């Protein structure tokens, strides 16, 4: 069973991203502010968007991740994405990632989308631990995961090399038992 699980919330449908979504993805992933902490340079071409979509498809096919397109109910346009990557199945652990088109910031959309995928991750994918690696200057993402009861566990110094520089990352984690107690 390798069907793509569509998730629905009050305002959102989280669905599979296809090549037909390339224009939408190019639009928000070409924005410097959206890409500031994404680990890639802002996209320039439709080929950049196709490459990102290919990555989404490959992590699903390889069972190392899953990425949902965030859409508003009744509108098909992808306005962001969220999901899991670097799944380590033998340890029941994964990392979470998310981004949203700037025009939808501050409306609680990322919050709502994360609620859905975190619940899916613990209930359906049987994760024990969901991690979030966040650059120290990225305060909005830190606030969002802290609101979801993620705990900051430490600082990973010079952990990633992206966009020509080494980045420190805070390690956050949410454990299954903490999720079900809240």
């Amino acid at each position: 069973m390798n069907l793509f699980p569509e998730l629905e919330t009050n305002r959102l449908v989280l669905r599979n991203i296809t090549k037909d979504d390339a224009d939408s993805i190019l639009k928000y992933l070409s924005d410097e502010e959206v890409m500031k902490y994404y680990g890639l340079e802002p996209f320039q071409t439709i080929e950049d968007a196709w490459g990102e979509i290919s990555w989404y498809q490959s992590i699903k096919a390889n069972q190392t991740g899953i990425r949902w397109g965030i859409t508003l109910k009744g509108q098909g346009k992808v306005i962001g994405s969220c999901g899991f990557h670097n799944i380590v199945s033998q340890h029941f652990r994964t990392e979470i990632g998310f981004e949203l088109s700037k025009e939808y910031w501050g409306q609680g959309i990322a919050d709502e989308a994360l609620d859905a995928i975190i619940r899916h991750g613990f209930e359906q994918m049987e994760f024990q631990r969901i991690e979030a690696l966040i650059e120290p200057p990225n305060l909005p993402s830190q606030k969002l995961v802290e609101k979801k009861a993620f705990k900051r566990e430490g600082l990973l110094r010079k952990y990633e090399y992206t966009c020509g520089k080494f980045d420190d990352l805070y390690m956050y984690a949410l454990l299954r038992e903490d999720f079900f107690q809240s």
Side-chain angles (χ1 to χ4, degrees):
M1 184 185 119
N2 206 20
L3 293 176
F4 196 96
E6 190 169 279
L7 307 178
E8 196 171 311
T9 70
N10 288 339
R11 298 182 293 165
L12 309 173
V13 173
L14 307 180
R15 64 163 176 83
N16 191 20
I17 296 172
T18 69
K19 296 254 185 200
D20 294 338
D21 298 309
D23 287 333
S24 298
I25 288 171
L26 176 60
K27 183 175 186 247
Y28 66 79
L29 291 184
S30 63
D31 185 311
E32 284 186 27
E33 286 185 76
V34 172
M35 296 300 278
K36 188 171 185 176
Y37 303 112
Y38 197 77
L40 296 172
E41 296 292 340
F43 286 12
Q44 302 291 321
T45 67
I46 198 73
E47 288 80 14
D48 293 337
W50 290 337
E52 187 76 356
I53 294 166
S54 292
W55 179 69
Y56 299 158
Q57 293 169 344
S58 74
I59 63 172
K60 176 74 168 108
N62 296 328
Q63 298 181 340
T64 59
I66 183 170
R67 195 78 171 195
W68 286 270
I70 301 171
T71 67
L72 297 173
K73 275 188 181 172
Q75 302 175 25
K77 184 176 83 160
V78 172
I79 60 170
S81 77
C82 58
F84 303 118
H85 56 278
N86 295 332
I87 292 175
V88 183
S89 54
Q90 69 267 36
H91 298 299
F92 299 86
R93 147 179 108 224
T94 190
E95 293 174 26
I96 197 168
F98 49 92
E99 85 286 327
L100 191 62
S101 176
K102 189 169 55 183
E103 64 193 281
Y104 296 97
W105 289 1
Q107 299 175 32
I109 291 171
D111 185 304
E112 194 171 320
L114 288 193
D115 279 344
I117 69 168
I118 290 168
R119 178 164 298 284
H120 182 80
F122 285 127
E123 291 180 352
Q124 305 303 316
M125 300 177 79
E126 301 181 342
F127 293 131
Q128 168 60 33
R129 175 183 171 91
I130 298 174
E131 300 172 345
L133 299 175
I134 302 173
E135 291 181 40
N138 188 351
L139 298 177
S141 290
Q142 290 175 51
K143 286 180 185 171
L144 179 57
V145 300
E146 288 169 1
K147 181 178 178 187
K148 302 288 164 220
F150 280 71
K151 303 285 184 248
R152 186 188 304 172
E153 296 181 335
L155 177 68
L156 303 170
R157 298 178 311 139
K158 308 289 185 216
Y159 190 74
E160 269 185 351
Y161 184 78
T162 59
C163 302
K165 63 183 178 23
F166 288 98
D167 293 320
D168 293 342
L169 296 173
Y170 283 134
M171 168 65 81
Y172 282 87
L174 178 62
L175 303 180
R176 168 187 276 291
E177 53 267 30
D178 296 336
F179 174 77
F180 286 110
Q181 286 174 359
S182 58

